[in-house]
Amino acid sequence: MTSTGPSQDVGAPIPNNTEHAISVTLPTWEATVGYEEGQEWVVSQMKSGYPRFFIHQVIQELSKSIEAKYARNVERCMVFPSYNIAKRCREFIKQKSDNPSAIRRVLQLSTPPPATEEEKSRKIESTIGIVFFPPEEFPLAKQYWQHSGEGISSRMAEYVLKELFENAKKDPLRLKGRSKQELQAEQIKRKSPSITASMRSNSQSQNEEVETEFNNFIEQKYGRVLDLMFAEQAKLALRRRISGQAEKSEAQVSANLGKRGSHISESEVYLYPTGMAAIFNAHQALLGTYDPPKKSVCFGFPYVDTLNILRKFGPGCFFLGFGDDASLDDMERQLESGEMDIMGLFCECPSNPLLKTPNLKRIRELADKFNFAVVVDETVGNLLNISVLPYADMVVSSLTKVFSGDSNVMGGSLILNPASSKYAQLKEYFNQNYEDTYWAEDALYLERNSRDFESRSKKINRNAAEVVALLEQSPLIDQVFYPSISDTKKYYDELKAPEGGYGGLISFVFRNPEHAVTFFNSIQLHKGPSLGTNFTLACPYAILAHYQELDEVAKWGVDKNLIRISVGLENESELLGILRKSLDLCTSK
């Protein structure tokens, strides 16, 4: 826990006081319902939110500035990190609109490049794409933003706003192109007599030592992410980190099977602004390489927007929500009979929130037999714990989650399997169509955050195992969902690296629904959307993700009172004590 503890204020950012936080505090069951219903007492207090659902204040400010200068009549706009993405959004609006003849247009704007070598540390030439549309079509534009994950990041919006519009506002934290972090660092220098005095010392060696100590402090406190010149090196480091870990896990799992692992270079790794953008672009790649495009299969109950992508873009999909062996039997029968003809199968490993692991070995066999691609989202399992690449043509992941851990930056990755029979075709597609739209500052933050990814993952695995044991022992709990106790454990273990674990995500259902509310409202943890954070994060998952379709998702095994916990790095005994206290409250009332 932090020294001040998790905020229990509705709408407060998670982490506390974080400008680019990716979660938001919904501290009670009632607040979560209020958020889903758009109740004023909740939405009016929202200072933050998950970035694909809540448009950050600085992005709203940038949009308003663009509309004020470039909009015609009452046009609204949506801002993206490239012209091509804005065009895709325009096409989506046109296809879904009831008024196909309405005028929609795309504008490209660029920030100036650095004029001197010195400016390269804090200035970078960047281009944005803006789609303008009638105001009544804003919900459609927002759908594209949410489903595709391709919207502009808050840090990029902050930079563009400063470069193109900010001078008129005279914001003291942005004067002369300097960042808020730089000014905070200078303020600390001025307010710290010991540091200031030491820097004035006649001893040069002492000055250097204190300067190093101060710089280390600033890096830990704010992140040494101010020098934009290093953005490309940060992206290369990220791609190498991902490919290296993927290759290591793949080699370990392959060795257990008596096989040789594949070499995975950084050239097979593609970075995206979000994990959902990686999934979206994997689907776009299949649409672009199959002629004609076909439907896909969504195998298992997935995170909501994966299904939205497959349903709303392209020919549609077959939804096999149970994701079990019987579903594979049925799929094989339909493929054999010709009732089903598909270009791809998308699945999570394990699934969110039910933590089921698909039989990837059999899926791969069917894919080879019936010529479809396999796309696996390994976000929940993570590439340190499991290796899914031998069974997939593309592996996607949300780097926002445990890879980052700090809950202050978004990111996604896509890995091409060089051993795939579809590799040459997919590689050619990405060579021609891939756009690097991952913002420089986001890459710098993510690179720093992920340096200790391996040690954090191991700690989370250990903590989660203890939490699962506690929940299983409680007579209040009806069902616990976790890979190590699932009836699909055998499939997870086929993928598990020798040093890997079962991840940090746990879902559970109380026998008495009232106990679920009591437990959630009383628990002294961070409460809001997202997962994979360095701190434990809880939410009433079905309410938060599927409030408008609770009866429908119940058909697939997702109880409306299901609680999901993403276990963090807290002291094990402290975390278990917090959970026990809230469990005890359920029986004391």
Side-chain angles (χ1 to χ4, degrees):
M1 309 297 153
T2 61
S3 58
T4 57
S7 173
Q8 300 300 310
D9 295 332
V10 172
I14 303 176
N16 301 340
N17 304 312
T18 300
E19 187 176 6
H20 298 282
I22 62 154
S23 190
V24 61
T25 303
L26 294 170
T28 64
W29 203 279
E30 295 78 11
T32 308
V33 171
Y35 169 73
E36 291 299 321
E37 293 183 347
Q39 295 177 17
E40 181 66 18
W41 72 276
V42 177
V43 296
S44 64
Q45 299 184 68
M46 299 291 286
K47 302 177 184 66
S48 181
Y50 196 76
R52 286 190 305 101
F53 294 87
F54 178 88
I55 299 180
H56 194 283
Q57 186 61 45
V58 75
I59 299 175
Q60 295 182 45
E61 189 178 345
L62 174 62
S63 299
K64 289 176 182 176
S65 297
I66 291 172
E67 287 170 356
K69 187 169 183 178
Y70 297 103
R72 299 171 184 169
N73 299 321
V74 293
E75 283 180 326
R76 295 289 305 276
C77 79
M78 191 71 80
V79 187
F80 295 94
S82 84
Y83 184 78
N84 287 333
I85 295 174
K87 288 200 299 182
R88 282 201 290 271
C89 178
R90 178 177 63 180
E91 185 61 26
F92 177 81
I93 295 171
K94 182 178 179 180
Q95 290 176 358
K96 304 297 181 182
S97 175
D98 294 331
N99 184 12
S101 63
I103 296 175
R104 306 168 194 91
R105 57 194 183 90
V106 175
L107 174 69
Q108 178 172 290
L109 296 175
S110 297
T111 63
T116 65
E117 284 298 313
E118 185 273 333
E119 281 193 349
K120 288 182 179 179
S121 293
R122 53 186 171 83
K123 295 190 73 167
I124 186 171
E125 186 174 15
S126 57
T127 300
I128 59 172
I130 306 105
V131 57
F132 292 91
F133 43 80
E136 62 270 17
E137 293 183 343
F138 182 83
L140 291 175
K142 180 72 182 310
Q143 278 187 42
Y144 185 88
W145 173 285
Q146 175 185 324
H147 301 333
S148 73
E150 293 190 310
I152 190 172
S153 84
S154 55
R155 284 189 183 87
M156 184 178 189
E158 185 175 52
Y159 179 84
V160 172
L161 182 66
K162 177 189 71 177
E163 290 295 312
L164 297 184
F165 299 100
E166 192 65 30
N167 288 340
K169 292 185 177 295
K170 304 297 183 184
D171 184 343
L173 289 177
R174 292 178 178 139
L175 284 177
K176 300 181 182 178
R178 299 163 74 199
S179 72
K180 184 175 293 186
Q181 289 94 332
E182 287 177 296
L183 284 145
Q184 287 172 324
E186 283 200 5
Q187 289 168 4
I188 291 174
K189 275 187 178 181
R190 289 195 297 270
K191 293 178 180 178
S192 176
S194 59
I195 291 176
T196 305
S198 297
M199 286 182 175
R200 292 172 182 161
S201 166
N202 292 327
S203 169
Q204 185 175 358
S205 61
Q206 185 179 3
N207 280 348
E208 291 173 351
E209 183 178 343
V210 172
E211 181 73 24
T212 299
E213 181 181 344
F214 172 75
N215 288 340
N216 288 339
F217 167 75
I218 291 300
E219 177 167 357
Q220 292 174 15
K221 180 71 175 175
Y222 299 108
R224 177 55 64 85
V225 294
L226 306 176
D227 197 330
L228 296 180
M229 283 196 300
F230 296 114
E232 290 306 312
Q233 290 96 315
K235 291 181 183 181
L236 179 60
L238 286 167
R239 289 165 49 224
R240 285 180 174 170
R241 190 167 298 155
I242 292 164
S243 63
Q245 293 291 1
E247 182 174 320
K248 178 181 176 182
S249 297
E250 200 263 352
Q252 291 174 343
V253 172
S254 295
N256 288 344
L257 299 174
K259 299 179 180 179
R260 178 182 294 179
S262 302
H263 173 63
I264 306 162
S265 77
E266 66 268 16
S267 64
E268 318 305 349
V269 179
Y270 299 87
L271 298 178
Y272 288 96
T274 65
M276 200 51 60
I279 296 171
F280 178 79
N281 279 277
H283 186 238
Q284 289 289 305
L286 297 186
L287 291 173
T289 53
Y290 275 79
D291 187 18
K294 303 175 183 179
K295 289 185 177 182
S296 294
V297 163
C298 183
F299 191 77
F301 189 87
Y303 177 70
V304 58
D305 276 320
T306 298
L307 189 55
N308 281 327
I309 286 171
L310 301 183
R311 282 176 167 169
K312 295 185 179 184
F313 298 86
C317 79
F318 300 97
F319 179 38
L320 306 182
F322 290 117
D324 54 12
D325 289 341
S327 299
L328 281 179
D329 291 340
D330 188 48
M331 186 177 84
E332 183 172 16
R333 180 189 61 77
Q334 292 187 65
L335 288 167
E336 288 278 12
S337 68
E339 297 173 62
M340 183 184 288
D341 184 19
I342 60 174
M343 64 178 184
L345 180 147
F346 288 71
C347 64
E348 298 173 345
C349 191
S351 63
N352 172 23
L354 297 180
L355 288 307
K356 293 182 178 181
T357 304
N359 183 348
L360 286 183
K361 182 179 179 181
R362 186 177 173 197
I363 288 172
R364 181 72 262 164
E365 291 170 352
L366 292 175
D368 292 339
K369 181 177 180 180
F370 294 102
N371 190 34
F372 62 83
V374 178
V375 182
V376 181
D377 181 351
E378 52 82 89
T379 300
V380 174
N382 94 51
L383 54 80
L384 288 173
N385 289 325
I386 57 174
S387 176
V388 301
L389 194 64
Y391 305 100
D393 299 282
M394 291 181 277
V395 175
V396 293
S397 186
S398 173
L399 305 179
T400 308
K401 309 305 192 298
V402 69
F403 187 81
S404 168
D406 274 349
S407 190
N408 63 2
V409 65
M410 300 282 279
S413 65
L414 183 153
I415 306 175
L416 287 183
N417 182 356
S420 164
S421 62
K422 304 186 184 307
Y423 173 77
Q425 193 176 15
L426 289 170
K427 189 67 174 179
E428 182 181 0
Y429 172 88
F430 282 100
N431 285 343
Q432 294 178 2
N433 295 281
Y434 174 71
E435 277 191 296
D436 180 5
T437 59
Y438 196 40
W439 177 237
E441 289 173 291
D442 291 329
L444 289 161
Y445 268 89
L446 184 63
E447 191 282 319
R448 182 205 64 179
N449 291 355
S450 60
R451 291 175 191 172
D452 60 351
F453 169 42
E454 186 168 359
S455 61
R456 287 187 290 105
S457 179
K458 290 179 179 179
K459 170 66 172 173
I460 287 170
N461 289 339
R462 293 193 297 270
N463 277 358
E466 295 299 321
V467 172
V468 168
L470 173 67
L471 294 172
E472 280 199 294
Q473 293 165 9
S474 173
L476 303 177
I477 305 297
D478 182 49
Q479 199 169 7
V480 181
F481 301 91
Y482 191 66
S484 67
I485 56 174
S486 168
D487 57 6
T488 62
K489 177 180 183 294
K490 59 184 177 181
Y491 299 134
Y492 189 100
D493 287 345
E494 289 177 353
L495 312 169
K496 184 172 168 290
E499 298 179 4
Y502 293 94
L505 200 65
I506 306 164
S507 298
F508 54 98
V509 178
F510 281 85
R511 298 183 189 279
N512 183 343
E514 292 181 2
H515 288 163
V517 177
T518 299
F519 174 88
F520 183 77
N521 287 356
S522 65
I523 197 163
Q524 292 300 300
L525 296 171
H526 287 288
K527 289 179 271 190
S530 197
L531 59 92
T533 48
N534 291 340
F535 45 84
T536 298
L537 184 63
C539 71
Y541 181 81
I543 299 295
L544 186 61
H546 299 283
Y547 186 69
Q548 304 301 329
E549 51 181 4
L550 291 173
D551 291 339
E552 176 62 26
V553 301
K555 298 175 184 177
W556 305 106
V558 181
D559 190 280
K560 66 180 180 180
N561 297 303
L562 181 142
I563 292 175
R564 191 189 72 182
I565 287 183
S566 176
V567 176
L569 300 174
E570 294 89 350
N571 175 274
E572 176 188 308
S573 60
E574 181 183 354
L575 177 58
L576 293 176
I578 290 170
L579 294 168
R580 286 194 188 98
K581 183 176 180 180
S582 289
L583 287 170
D584 291 344
L585 279 174
C586 294
T587 55
S588 65
K589 289 192 173 183

